[in-house]
Amino acid sequence: SVLSCGHCSFCRQGRENLCANLTMLGNNIDGGYAEYVVVPVAELVPVPDELPLEQACVIADALSTPYHAVKHRGKVRVGDTVAVVGCGGVGLNLVQCAVVSGAHVIALDLNDQRLATARVLGAAETINPGAVDRVDKAVRSLTNGGVDVAFEAIGNPKTIELAFGLLTRGREAEAVAVSL
């Protein structure tokens, strides 16, 4: 777990992920693998007894990171058109968070099975970049010129560049690379 200080300028802006004084259990503080660990109460989230620990652990990263990206970094609003580049675990949760936020979602991945899952989770459109000549043209044809917000969930410079190229004119700053 990574703990923010709550006092630096980034924390006061609600950008705890950029905290100037981050500490990490197991690195900066003893107890990463301890049975009991002392952490600030603000970092705790109650977990119902009926939720298995293995499932609860997924929420801490694979769901909270996409949620933060959609709501706070991408500021997705009802009616926005959103591209999600990469439909692994984090990308599929980006799809769900964007859909719940009221967006029209286009999911992109080289794996057709992941694209099928993205559809089940609410993606309105899917594109396999390996099956089209130009991904940007395929997205533009579906969106009347490009998407409002693009998320990249792979961490590859080429796919980050691709995400920027999917944006509609004037939205160049709206691409969000989700750290994995």
Side-chain angles (χ1 to χ4, degrees), residues 90-153:
V90 172
L92 289 172
N93 282 314
L94 279 165
V95 168
Q96 291 182 93
C97 289
V99 167
V100 168
S101 296
H104 178 91
V105 177
I106 302 168
L108 296 92
D109 200 284
L110 291 171
N111 182 311
D112 288 329
Q113 187 173 0
R114 289 180 179 179
L115 292 176
T117 302
R119 282 257 191 203
V120 169
L121 297 175
E125 309 283 348
T126 59
I127 297 173
N128 182 326
V132 296
D133 289 332
R134 292 219 14 215
V135 179
D136 59 335
K137 283 189 175 185
V139 169
R140 289 185 200 300
S141 72
L142 294 171
T143 61
N144 194 26
V147 298
D148 298 306
V149 182
F151 295 99
E152 191 279 346

Side-chain angles (χ1 to χ4, degrees), residues 20-99:
N21 305 301
L22 282 176
T23 56
M24 182 179 266
L25 290 175
N27 285 347
N28 308 103
I29 302 170
D30 289 340
Y33 290 104
E35 186 174 352
Y36 297 99
V37 177
V38 176
V39 296
V41 70
E43 302 291 335
L44 300 176
V45 176
V47 176
D49 290 337
E50 61 273 8
L51 182 62
L53 182 60
E54 295 81 12
Q55 291 177 9
C57 290
V58 172
I59 296 168
D61 187 41
L63 185 58
S64 64
T65 299
Y67 173 82
H68 181 80
V70 168
K71 295 308 277 181
H72 301 291
R73 299 282 58 94
K75 296 183 173 118
V76 174
R77 298 175 299 270
V78 172
D80 279 351
T81 303
V82 171
V84 175
V85 180
C87 293
V90 172
L92 289 172
N93 282 314
L94 279 165
V95 168
Q96 291 182 93
C97 289
V99 167

